[in-house]
Amino acid sequence: MSLPMDVEGPAAPPRSNGELVFAEPWESRAFAMAVALCEAGVFTWREFQAALIARIERQHDTSTDWCYYEHWLGALEDVLAGRWAVRGHDVTARARELAQRPAGHDHEQR
């Protein structure tokens, strides 16, 4: 399946020379989760785009601090919660649990 991903406009992911850009590993994971869940039929790409645009527009109205993939992750949470695939407090609890892990916990130490 090929998703109709925007290359311009508020929902367009950051790119450099046409390639997607991720500043942190979690950003690529959040991106991949949304794409995989959409391809699995959990939600449509249009639903996700609408949630992402809504998140971006709300943020632009209230703050100068801005991180595209924080909005991406928030939109994913919104869509999943709206589909009753997960409950919002479950996402929050899991995020807190993961945040408690030490840096490099999932990488082999050499």
Side-chain angles (χ1 to χ4, degrees), residues 6 8-12 48-68 70-72 74-75 78:
D6 292 341
E8 293 184 12
F48 180 76
Q49 283 180 310
L52 178 58
I53 290 168
R55 283 269 178 161
I56 290 169
E57 288 175 347
R58 277 196 310 267
Q59 180 74 29
H60 276 299
D61 292 343
T62 61
S63 174
T64 57
D65 293 336
W66 200 84
C67 173
Y68 178 83
E70 285 180 15
H71 295 304
W72 182 280
D78 292 345

Side-chain angles (χ1 to χ4, degrees), residues 1-109:
M1 169 188 266
S2 178
L3 299 175
M5 194 169 302
D6 292 341
V7 292
E8 293 184 12
R15 295 177 186 265
S16 177
N17 293 323
E19 298 293 321
L20 293 172
V21 175
F22 303 102
E24 301 286 337
W26 72 264
E27 295 175 348
S28 63
R29 293 177 188 136
F31 180 87
M33 281 192 301
V35 171
L37 290 168
C38 180
E39 288 179 343
V42 175
F43 51 81
T44 68
W45 194 249
R46 283 185 191 260
E47 289 174 292
F48 180 76
Q49 283 180 310
L52 178 58
I53 290 168
R55 283 269 178 161
I56 290 169
E57 288 175 347
R58 277 196 310 267
Q59 180 74 29
H60 276 299
D61 292 343
T62 61
S63 174
T64 57
D65 293 336
W66 200 84
C67 173
Y68 178 83
Y69 285 106
E70 285 180 15
H71 295 304
W72 182 280
L73 189 57
L76 179 57
E77 292 171 2
D78 292 345
V79 171
L80 292 174
R83 289 288 185 143
W84 297 94
V86 296
R87 295 185 303 253
H89 67 275
D90 290 339
V91 172
T92 302
R94 181 70 173 144
R96 283 189 187 126
E97 179 184 322
L98 293 173
Q100 298 298 319
R101 298 188 302 182
H105 70 279
D106 58 349
H107 300 284
E108 183 179 320
Q109 302 295 321

